[in-house]
Amino acid sequence: MTHQPRILEVRTKILKKNDELARDLRERFQRAGVLVVNLVSSPGTGKTAFLQRTLTELLSACLRPAAIVGDLETDNDARRLATSGAPVRQIMTHGCCHLEAEMIEQHLDDWDLSKLDLLFIENVGNLVCPASWDLGESLRVVLLSVTEGEDKPLKYPGLFNTADLAVITKCDLAEACEFDRAKARDNIHAVRPGLTILETSAKRGDGMDQWYRLLHGELAHRSGGKST
Amino acid sequence: MTHQPRILEVRTKILKKNDELARDLRERFQRAGVLVVNLVSSPGTGKTAFLQRTLTELLSACLRPAAIVGDLETDNDARRLATSGAPVRQIMTHGCCHLEAEMIEQHLDDWDLSKLDLLFIENVGNLVCPASWDLGESLRVVLLSVTEGEDKPLKYPGLFNTADLAVITKCDLAEACEFDRAKARDNIHAVRPGLTILETSAKRGDGMDQWYRLLHGELAHRSGGKST
């Protein structure tokens, strides 16, 4: 493409600035002892249902989770998530196809991070663009639903390459979709060998305990807990 | 965002260049009498299955369809589509989240467009970014699967706003997904009043006849047919 050198130059500068801000955010989150989890996927993979169940479970385990959710338009997801009882903030990107570190920073105002144990960031539904934008998270989780097809990791390798964990969602629909779990796992591992894969259904609860154990394990690795 | 003015300036120039090239392409397609259809949706909505069935049907009706398919990586979709017998070309975007007019132009080399009746462009799976990139198409079709949830038109209005037709896919899974078709239709029409909506299953064949009739109608509106 003839315009590539120019756009690449500008993109590189903007991404560099985002990376610097994300590094500052990461240090801030670590100082506050909050585990930050960035959830990325296509639209309709079920991030909100997965997160809603997660928030409810963590609250019942006397942890202090919060969430920031990004969408182009509407605050539907924030309202759904807030029914869990956890503090939730919506970022409306008005056309921007991903969240950026600066957007996250602007939505932390007047939140006392030291009073949180976990902060979930539900990214804009997009299996391409969020890959390049570090938000200062500790854990990037890519979700893939059984309805999307087993080939998506091969066709959209960027997000799978940069993820710390893959979660297969909507496993209650696996049979109806003729989902080939072995093939999906092989494709994820072809792109990212050794990546941990959880198979879940937020609707039925399958595999959710494994996810909660993983979060508890991550929290246990943090610096000796905080006073509530 | 502090970097917005700079990126917007560059984006505006690039989009303007794309629009100019798309206008040239549109004139070229019209001179050749080929109906160009741009299929846009999330990853996993079923564009390839929908298009594969469409190509097979059109060939059996003695029409001359072809397809160009965009993916970040792999030529899996082109290979699937080519089993129909129609000529198919794959564009690998290597990280770019949408197709651009220049990519289309580069992949038309040595194709005699006057020997085609329809050219389908299967865009990169992305419900955000392709909205801004005119490819010179006559018809932009946005697909939404029953597995993605009824709220997507409200959350990702850009593609629905710029589409000429909406196709709901995977209706065979509607019951398993507890899909609320009235709500989905209302949400599409809230974003784009009066938009024609087809409800389909490429697997079972539901609603496909209506789609073929629509294509035949569009072809009939073209300039008096061409000699084969």
Side-chain angles (χ1 to χ4, degrees), chain A residues 33-44:
Chain A
V34 58
L35 175 67
V36 179
V37 182
N38 182 7
L39 302 175
V40 291
S41 79
S42 300

Side-chain angles (χ1 to χ4, degrees), chain A residues 1-4 6-7 9-11 13-14 17 42-45 47-48 70-74 76-77 80 95-97 100 102-103 106 122-129 133 145 147-149 151-152 154-158 170 172-173 176-178 203, chain B residues 1-4 6-7 9-11 13-14 17 42-45 47-48 70-74 76-77 80 95-97 100 102-103 106 122-129 133 145 147-149 151-152 154-158 170 172-173 176-178 203:
Chain A
M1 306 296 299
T2 53
H3 62 247
Q4 285 296 353
R6 180 121 187 249
I7 191 80
E9 185 196 337
V10 176
R11 269 183 60 83
K13 282 187 185 166
I14 291 171
K17 192 183 157 207
S42 300
T45 298
K47 289 185 293 303
T48 310
D71 278 301
L72 269 66
E73 302 294 341
T74 85
N76 295 354
D77 285 357
R80 271 176 73 190
C96 185
C97 58
E100 301 182 9
E102 194 172 356
M103 300 177 192
Q106 287 166 348
E122 182 184 332
N123 217 309
V124 176
N126 186 325
L127 206 46
V128 187
C129 311
W133 300 86
S145 88
T147 65
E148 292 173 61
D151 59 342
K152 295 303 168 290
L154 301 179
K155 290 168 67 180
Y156 303 86
K170 304 192 186 182
D172 51 292
L173 295 171
C177 298
E178 299 171 25
K203 189 174 175 184
Chain B
M1 308 297 298
T2 53
H3 64 247
Q4 285 296 354
R6 180 122 185 248
I7 191 80
E9 184 195 338
V10 176
R11 269 182 60 83
K13 282 188 186 167
I14 291 171
K17 192 183 157 207
S42 300
T45 299
K47 289 185 292 306
T48 310
D71 278 301
L72 270 65
E73 304 293 342
T74 85
N76 295 354
D77 284 358
R80 271 175 73 189
C96 185
C97 57
E100 301 182 10
E102 194 172 356
M103 300 178 192
Q106 287 167 350
E122 182 183 331
N123 219 309
V124 176
N126 186 325
L127 206 47
V128 187
C129 311
W133 300 88
S145 88
T147 65
E148 291 173 60
D151 59 341
K152 295 303 169 291
L154 302 179
K155 289 168 66 179
Y156 302 86
K170 305 192 185 182
D172 52 290
L173 295 172
C177 296
E178 299 170 26
K203 190 174 175 186

Side-chain angles (χ1 to χ4, degrees), chain A:
Chain A
M1 306 296 299
T2 53
H3 62 247
Q4 285 296 353
R6 180 121 187 249
I7 191 80
L8 272 180
E9 185 196 337
V10 176
R11 269 183 60 83
T12 304
K13 282 187 185 166
I14 291 171
L15 282 172
K16 189 177 169 212
K17 192 183 157 207
N18 185 79
D19 284 348
E20 288 167 359
L21 189 50
R23 190 188 55 206
D24 294 346
L25 276 179
R26 187 168 285 110
E27 286 172 7
R28 185 171 162 194
F29 294 142
Q30 282 173 348
R31 274 199 308 276
V34 58
L35 175 67
V36 179
V37 182
N38 182 7
L39 302 175
V40 291
S41 79
S42 300
T45 298
K47 289 185 293 303
T48 310
F50 180 80
L51 183 48
Q52 190 174 6
R53 187 160 183 147
T54 301
L55 292 173
T56 303
E57 165 66 23
L58 294 173
L59 285 166
S60 76
C62 297
L63 286 166
R64 300 165 303 178
I68 293 178
V69 53
D71 278 301
L72 269 66
E73 302 294 341
T74 85
D75 63 351
N76 295 354
D77 285 357
R79 284 188 284 112
R80 271 176 73 190
L81 292 173
T83 61
S84 68
V88 179
R89 286 187 176 163
Q90 177 83 45
I91 299 178
M92 270 189 261
T93 67
H94 301 300
C96 185
C97 58
H98 57 269
L99 292 178
E100 301 182 9
E102 194 172 356
M103 300 177 192
I104 301 299
E105 189 196 33
Q106 287 166 348
H107 285 78
L108 294 177
D109 284 355
D110 73 42
W111 255 358
D112 182 352
L113 293 178
S114 69
K115 297 241 163 74
L116 296 178
D117 296 308
L118 302 103
L119 172 62
F120 294 92
I121 301 170
E122 182 184 332
N123 217 309
V124 176
N126 186 325
L127 206 46
V128 187
C129 311
S132 309
W133 300 86
D134 186 0
L135 304 181
E137 69 266 26
S138 306
L139 209 61
R140 183 177 290 192
V141 179
V142 61
L143 295 88
L144 170 73
S145 88
V146 300
T147 65
E148 292 173 61
E150 304 84 359
D151 59 342
K152 295 303 168 290
L154 301 179
K155 290 168 67 180
Y156 303 86
L159 268 186
F160 289 86
N161 262 325
T162 61
D164 302 297
L165 173 71
V167 174
I168 299 176
T169 59
K170 304 192 186 182
C171 285
D172 51 292
L173 295 171
E175 199 176 343
C177 298
E178 299 171 25
F179 180 71
D180 185 337
R181 62 184 288 277
K183 194 194 276 184
R185 297 181 70 95
D186 285 351
N187 287 345
I188 292 170
H189 285 147
V191 172
R192 182 71 182 270
L195 187 67
T196 300
I197 303 171
L198 305 183
E199 298 178 32
T200 67
S201 162
K203 189 174 175 184
R204 281 197 317 220
D206 312 7
M208 296 301 288
D209 280 347
Q210 211 180 341
W211 161 241
Y212 304 141
R213 275 199 299 277
L214 189 145
L215 290 176
H216 284 288
E218 288 288 330
L219 286 169
H221 277 92
R222 310 262 124 192
S223 52
K226 300 183 290 181
S227 66
T228 56

Side-chain angles (χ1 to χ4, degrees), chain B:
Chain B
M1 308 297 298
T2 53
H3 64 247
Q4 285 296 354
R6 180 122 185 248
I7 191 80
L8 271 180
E9 184 195 338
V10 176
R11 269 182 60 83
T12 303
K13 282 188 186 167
I14 291 171
L15 282 172
K16 189 177 169 213
K17 192 183 157 207
N18 185 79
D19 284 347
E20 288 167 357
L21 189 51
R23 191 187 56 205
D24 294 345
L25 277 179
R26 186 168 285 109
E27 286 172 6
R28 186 171 162 193
F29 293 142
Q30 282 174 347
R31 274 199 308 276
V34 58
L35 175 67
V36 179
V37 182
N38 181 8
L39 302 175
V40 292
S41 80
S42 300
T45 299
K47 289 185 292 306
T48 310
F50 181 79
L51 183 49
Q52 190 173 6
R53 187 159 183 148
T54 301
L55 293 174
T56 302
E57 164 67 22
L58 294 174
L59 285 167
S60 76
C62 296
L63 287 166
R64 300 165 303 178
I68 293 178
V69 53
D71 278 301
L72 270 65
E73 304 293 342
T74 85
D75 64 351
N76 295 354
D77 284 358
R79 284 189 283 111
R80 271 175 73 189
L81 292 173
T83 62
S84 67
V88 179
R89 285 186 177 165
Q90 177 82 46
I91 299 178
M92 270 189 261
T93 67
H94 301 299
C96 185
C97 57
H98 58 271
L99 291 178
E100 301 182 10
E102 194 172 356
M103 300 178 192
I104 301 300
E105 189 196 34
Q106 287 167 350
H107 285 76
L108 294 177
D109 284 353
D110 75 41
W111 255 357
D112 182 353
L113 293 178
S114 68
K115 298 242 164 73
L116 296 179
D117 296 307
L118 302 103
L119 173 62
F120 294 91
I121 301 171
E122 182 183 331
N123 219 309
V124 176
N126 186 325
L127 206 47
V128 187
C129 311
S132 310
W133 300 88
D134 185 0
L135 304 180
E137 69 266 26
S138 306
L139 209 61
R140 183 178 288 192
V141 180
V142 61
L143 294 90
L144 170 73
S145 88
V146 300
T147 65
E148 291 173 60
E150 303 84 359
D151 59 341
K152 295 303 169 291
L154 302 179
K155 289 168 66 179
Y156 302 86
L159 268 185
F160 289 86
N161 262 325
T162 62
D164 303 295
L165 173 71
V167 174
I168 299 175
T169 60
K170 305 192 185 182
C171 285
D172 52 290
L173 295 172
E175 198 178 342
C177 296
E178 299 170 26
F179 179 71
D180 185 336
R181 62 184 289 276
K183 194 195 275 184
R185 297 180 71 95
D186 285 350
N187 288 344
I188 292 171
H189 286 148
V191 172
R192 182 70 182 271
L195 188 66
T196 300
I197 304 171
L198 304 183
E199 298 178 32
T200 67
S201 162
K203 190 174 175 186
R204 280 197 318 218
D206 312 7
M208 296 301 287
D209 281 347
Q210 210 181 342
W211 161 239
Y212 305 142
R213 276 199 298 277
L214 189 145
L215 290 177
H216 283 289
E218 289 288 330
L219 286 169
H221 276 92
R222 310 264 126 192
S223 52
K226 300 182 289 179
S227 66
T228 56

